[in-house]
Amino acid sequence: MYITDLHIHSHYSRATSKECTPEYLDLWARRKGIDLLGTGDFTHRAWREELKEKLAPAEDGLYRLKEEYCLEPGYRPEMRTPRFVISGEISTIYKKHGKVRKVHSVILLPGLEEAERLSVKLEAIGNLHSDGRPILGLDCRDLLEMTLESCPEAIFFPAHIWTPHFSLFGAFSGFDTIEECFEDLTPHIHALETGLSSDPPMIRKLSALDRFQLISNSDAHSPSKMGREANLMDIDLSYEGLKKAINTGKGLSGTIEFFPEEGKYHYDGHRKCGLCLSPDEAKAYHGKCPICGKKLTTGVSHRIQQLADRNEEVFLSGSKPYESLVPLLEVVAASTGYTTASKRVQNQYQELLYSLGSEFSILRDIPIEEIKKVSSEWIAEGIARIRAKKVICSPGYDGEYGTIKLFEPGEIK
Ligand SMILES: [Zn+2]
Ligand SMILES: [Zn+2]
Ligand SMILES: [Zn+2]
């Protein structure tokens, strides 16, 4: 079984960490237990140069970091060497049917040559150099057409499909149906990225989406955030295997999700006024902030409600299972009462990895008793509660992350 995270960014994207380099992406993939990760940002020439220099071809259509660039080579050597697949995200902003549309899409390619070829074509349309996630004034359908013309093996999926401002179904600049966006090329779309603020049962309220695979990626802007969402794949480690899993579901065994409440747009609200509202509460205010009168940002829950034709969350037969996790660093912080930024929490996190293995193995597999032996009762209890889905959620809204509490106030002294 492989864990894959296919949507991340390099240090050439806006607002990303300087550590989004091949070296640190590889290191953090080992720490997290990610077997296959996207390179991000293939449209950026300098990033492609860096990848060419630092990655070596591995299995068909995949790459690995050259050994001379590996950081901390002694770091639990039994951990698997991560593979990279060429990936990138493109933001298309355009007018269609009298409305401005802003849609983000992720493209995976079988090699750097294909990346070069497609980038040359896209360069004719807009600037690819100022941002690793370029903005193009191009209809998203036409982007898909150009991608498939340039590389028929490309994998193309809409990114974080519910984000209010920048996605296929976004409340403010998206569409109501996939067909409206991709028209005649809709059959080439096979998978949708759920984004942090939704999980599969929420999305399955739309029967129109029943035929699509649901996949999950971190959209990390710093290496330590990788894997906060990911895919479980039982595939041949190759581009073909990956493509089959995404496009047909064969080999896609499930996803690892955020608790959707923790995402930045789960509920409606107005961040400046500190106001978070459930969809029903927001409806009562007719989409206006009752404090300042400005427009409320429609969250993912509400948007799904608007488009759904099923009342209940459903689990379709044939749907892939999913797990909801909280990042280990947050578990350690919650269990000790310090913040994730504190040295103490970070050291304890590293110690856990050194003595037990990757973050995913700690969160998902290692017996609670064993975790208790090398850490504390509270860290072990926190992980047990995540596995049992016994967490206390307060939803995110209008760009503000939600919080997941593992313990009641006063439980930890
Ligand atoms: Zn995006
Ligand atoms: Zn992104
Ligand atoms: Zn307000």
Side-chain angles (χ1 to χ4, degrees), residues 7-9 13 41 89 104 106 133 159-160 193 219-221:
H7 177 179
I8 63 154
H9 291 281
S13 275
D41 297 2
E89 182 185 30
H104 288 191
V106 173
R133 190 206 58 207
H160 43 70
E193 186 185 69
D219 200 357
H221 288 210

Side-chain angles (χ1 to χ4, degrees), residues 117-300:
R117 209 160 58 214
L118 178 54
S119 302
V120 168
K121 286 180 77 178
L122 294 174
E123 247 166 35
I125 291 163
N127 176 0
L128 302 181
H129 302 292
S130 59
D131 193 341
R133 190 206 58 207
I135 298 171
L136 298 178
L138 179 66
D139 189 308
C140 197
R141 181 215 162 271
D142 299 342
L143 173 65
L144 173 57
E145 184 170 50
M146 285 176 72
T147 302
L148 293 173
E149 268 172 17
S150 161
C151 176
E153 295 80 37
I155 304 168
F156 186 110
F157 57 85
H160 43 70
I161 55 170
W162 302 108
T163 309
H165 302 284
F166 302 102
S167 73
L168 174 59
F169 292 125
F172 294 136
S173 39
F175 296 90
D176 289 350
T177 66
I178 296 195
E179 290 74 14
E180 238 184 298
C181 179
F182 292 104
E183 301 175 34
D184 55 320
L185 298 184
T186 306
H188 293 279
I189 302 294
H190 304 278
L192 307 169
E193 186 185 69
T194 59
L196 300 180
S197 299
S198 72
D199 64 11
M202 289 170 66
I203 295 173
R204 292 306 183 197
K205 285 183 178 171
L206 280 77
S207 65
L209 304 187
D210 285 355
R211 81 166 176 89
F212 295 93
Q213 304 304 322
L214 302 181
I215 57 174
S216 276
N217 300 297
S218 68
D219 200 357
H221 288 210
S222 68
S224 66
K225 293 278 196 304
M226 281 196 311
R228 55 189 180 175
E229 294 208 325
N231 308 288
L232 300 165
M233 291 186 179
D234 194 1
I235 56 171
D236 291 336
L237 201 54
S238 68
Y239 183 83
E240 264 313 302
L242 178 67
K243 187 177 172 191
K244 199 162 133 195
I246 294 173
N247 285 2
T248 71
K250 284 194 190 85
L252 178 63
S253 312
T255 53
I256 293 172
E257 307 277 333
F258 248 32
F259 285 92
E261 292 84 354
E262 198 174 3
K264 284 198 272 194
Y265 293 103
H266 187 69
Y267 263 12
D268 292 23
H270 190 213
R271 179 155 60 154
K272 273 211 184 110
C273 295
L275 186 74
C276 168
L277 300 166
S278 72
D280 289 336
E281 290 167 334
K283 268 183 249 165
Y285 294 117
H286 306 288
K288 290 233 165 70
C289 173
I291 300 170
C292 72
K294 289 217 174 92
K295 199 164 150 187
L296 291 170
T297 297
T298 306
V300 168

